[in-house]
């Protein structure tokens, strides 16, 4: 695996592969790799002839400087892990390479970014994400780019971005990787102390409780949500939100029907965590006529 630092070097490295018609896959990351990141890299490795992983802690998407400074960084260890799963290039540019003096452009997606994480972290967050992802896609020119469902809203926003701007890339969204106890893997989990880690479990427990309520026949989102709230309350976690929203539009649902995303975010100690789960309920009309999906 080669580590490259500049766009010019990256383009030069990829030019031959591109001319030879090889499939290029990109996994954008902010580093501090865990099995979630590695699952994306492995997926890229099975589907693409050339795998590029970008490692860039993007200052533009942090709404809080303390959070940016606290963000875990260990490039040497990351490089070892990426090499072990067979990544070809680790693209680790400096902030000045990505945002040179005079940088003045923002790529902004409306609608999907205005709720949930956008509402709680401010519009700067998703503007930072969509701007850097646009740049990374332009720098690498991949055929496929891999994102995790763990950040479900981000994945939807990126899907919207590439459709709206006719970007010639396929977006593949990969399943959330969890610890055995259910905690969704996150680079931020490293900051959790023992008691915090226990409390952090309440997020996945809350989603599970919502899912169980739906499985038992509950179709009222408020009632299902209350089951999740109880888990958070027991752990004394005050969520930023726990919502049931449409898996396509992220609009709150009036009734649990079709593909619904249960989403949760909250602060555990100093660490802000997010999680989600997709709930599929046979649409009411289809269920009654027997025409629903299995
Ligand atoms: P990050 O480094 O946190 O920006 O994440 C880089 C990519 O890895 C994003 O597409 C995330 O959605 C994805 N990712 C993060 N955590 C997980 C996880 N537990 N399972 C699957 N993908 C993940």
């Amino acid at each position: 695996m080669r580590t490259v630092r500049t766009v010019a070097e990256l383009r030069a490295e990829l030019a031959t592969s591109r001319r030879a018609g090889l499939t290029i896959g990109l996994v954008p990351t902010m580093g501090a790799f865990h099995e979630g990141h590695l699952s994306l890299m492995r997926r890229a490795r099975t589907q693409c002839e050339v795998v590029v992983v970008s490692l860039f802690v993007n200052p533009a998407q942090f709404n809080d400087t303390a959070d940016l400074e606290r963000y875990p960084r260990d490039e040497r260890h990351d490089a070892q892990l990426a090499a072990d799963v067979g990544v070809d290039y680790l693209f680790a540019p400096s902030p000045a390479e990505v945002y040179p003096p005079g940088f003045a452009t923002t790529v902004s997606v409306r609608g999907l970014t205005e709720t949930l994480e956008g509402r709680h972290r401010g519009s700067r967050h998703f503007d930072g994400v969509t701007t850097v992802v646009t740049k990374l896609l332009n720098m690498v020119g991949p055929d496929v780019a891999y994102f995790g469902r763990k950040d479900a809203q981000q994945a939807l926003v990126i899907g919207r971005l590439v459709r709206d701007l006719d970007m010639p890339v396929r977006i593949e969204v990969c399943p959330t990787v969890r610890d055995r106890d259910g905690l969704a893997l996150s680079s931020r989990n490293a900051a959790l102390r023992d008691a915090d880690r226990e409390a952090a479990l309440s997020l996945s427990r809350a989603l599970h409780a919502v899912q169980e309520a739906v499985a038992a026949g509950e179709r009222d989102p408020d009632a299902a949500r209350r089951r999740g709230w109880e888990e958070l309350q027991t752990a004394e976690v005050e969520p930023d939100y726990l919502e049931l929203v449409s898996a396509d539009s992220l609009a709150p649902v009036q009734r649990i029907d079709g593909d619904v995303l249960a989403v949760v975010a909250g602060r555990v100690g100093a660490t802000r965590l997010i999680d989600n789960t997709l709930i599929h309920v046979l649409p009411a009309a289809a269920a009654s006529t027997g025409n629903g999906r299995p």
Side-chain angles (χ1 to χ4, degrees):
M1 188 186 75
R2 287 206 51 182
T3 297
V4 290
R5 308 258 171 219
T6 66
V7 180
E9 197 186 351
L10 178 73
R11 291 227 168 98
E13 286 285 342
L14 294 177
T16 327
S17 306
R18 208 182 311 282
R19 266 198 305 276
L22 301 184
T23 326
I24 301 174
L26 169 66
V27 182
T29 81
M30 297 206 299
F33 295 158
H34 49 66
E35 276 297 318
H37 297 113
L38 300 182
S39 72
L40 268 51
M41 297 177 206
R42 289 195 194 98
R43 175 81 68 105
R45 185 68 286 168
T46 62
Q47 297 184 346
C48 303
E49 284 147 315
V50 180
V51 176
V52 182
V53 170
S54 62
L55 193 177
F56 181 62
V57 182
N58 177 30
Q61 73 189 68
F62 284 79
N63 44 315
D64 174 356
T65 5
D67 189 26
L68 171 63
E69 278 157 19
R70 246 197 330 261
Y71 202 82
R73 291 169 173 85
D74 189 350
E75 188 189 308
R76 258 174 52 158
H77 188 232
D78 284 348
Q80 189 56 56
L81 293 173
D84 289 348
V85 300
V87 168
D88 299 300
Y89 296 104
L90 185 69
F91 176 48
S94 67
E97 179 70 8
V98 179
Y99 301 113
F103 185 85
T105 302
T106 300
V107 180
S108 192
V109 171
R110 285 200 298 267
L112 285 173
T113 58
E114 286 157 29
T115 180
L116 305 175
E117 288 302 282
R119 184 176 308 144
H120 283 272
R121 300 184 66 174
S123 58
R124 240 178 77 84
H125 168 64
F126 277 119
D127 284 355
V129 171
T130 46
T131 302
V132 84
V133 169
T134 301
K135 284 177 67 74
L136 291 168
L137 293 172
N138 285 337
M139 290 165 177
V140 176
D143 298 281
V144 193
Y146 298 83
F147 293 88
R149 200 172 295 286
K150 154 83 170 28
D151 299 280
Q153 185 176 14
Q154 172 175 282
L156 274 178
V157 168
I158 305 259
R160 186 76 260 161
L161 167 76
V162 304
R163 276 196 301 281
D164 287 355
L165 297 186
D166 305 299
M167 294 178 172
V169 61
R170 180 168 72 78
I171 300 302
E172 178 141 338
V173 184
C174 305
T176 301
V177 178
R178 298 176 179 281
D179 263 340
R180 287 152 80 100
D181 56 12
L183 183 67
L185 297 187
S186 163
S187 305
R188 295 173 187 275
N189 293 355
L192 295 171
R193 289 181 300 268
D194 288 353
D196 288 345
R197 200 184 177 293
E198 190 54 33
L201 275 178
S202 64
L203 269 70
S204 54
R205 287 200 183 123
L207 296 175
H208 189 68
V210 170
Q211 217 164 13
E212 297 257 278
V214 178
E218 186 59 73
R219 295 294 177 264
D220 171 15
D222 288 334
R225 219 153 60 119
R226 273 197 294 277
R227 300 284 297 278
W229 271 97
E230 286 163 15
E231 291 290 340
L232 297 166
Q233 264 171 350
T234 308
E236 296 178 6
V237 169
E238 181 67 42
D240 284 346
Y241 56 78
L242 168 63
E243 302 231 29
L244 284 115
V245 297
S246 151
D248 302 321
S249 69
L250 300 180
V253 293
Q254 305 307 316
R255 194 184 144 73
I256 302 170
D257 203 9
D259 285 337
V260 172
L261 209 51
V263 286
V264 64
R267 204 167 278 282
V268 179
T271 310
R272 189 171 180 280
L273 300 173
I274 62 172
D275 198 356
N276 70 84
T277 192
L278 184 65
I279 299 172
H280 178 70
V281 173
L282 209 59
S288 61
T289 60
N291 290 332
R293 281 182 270 165

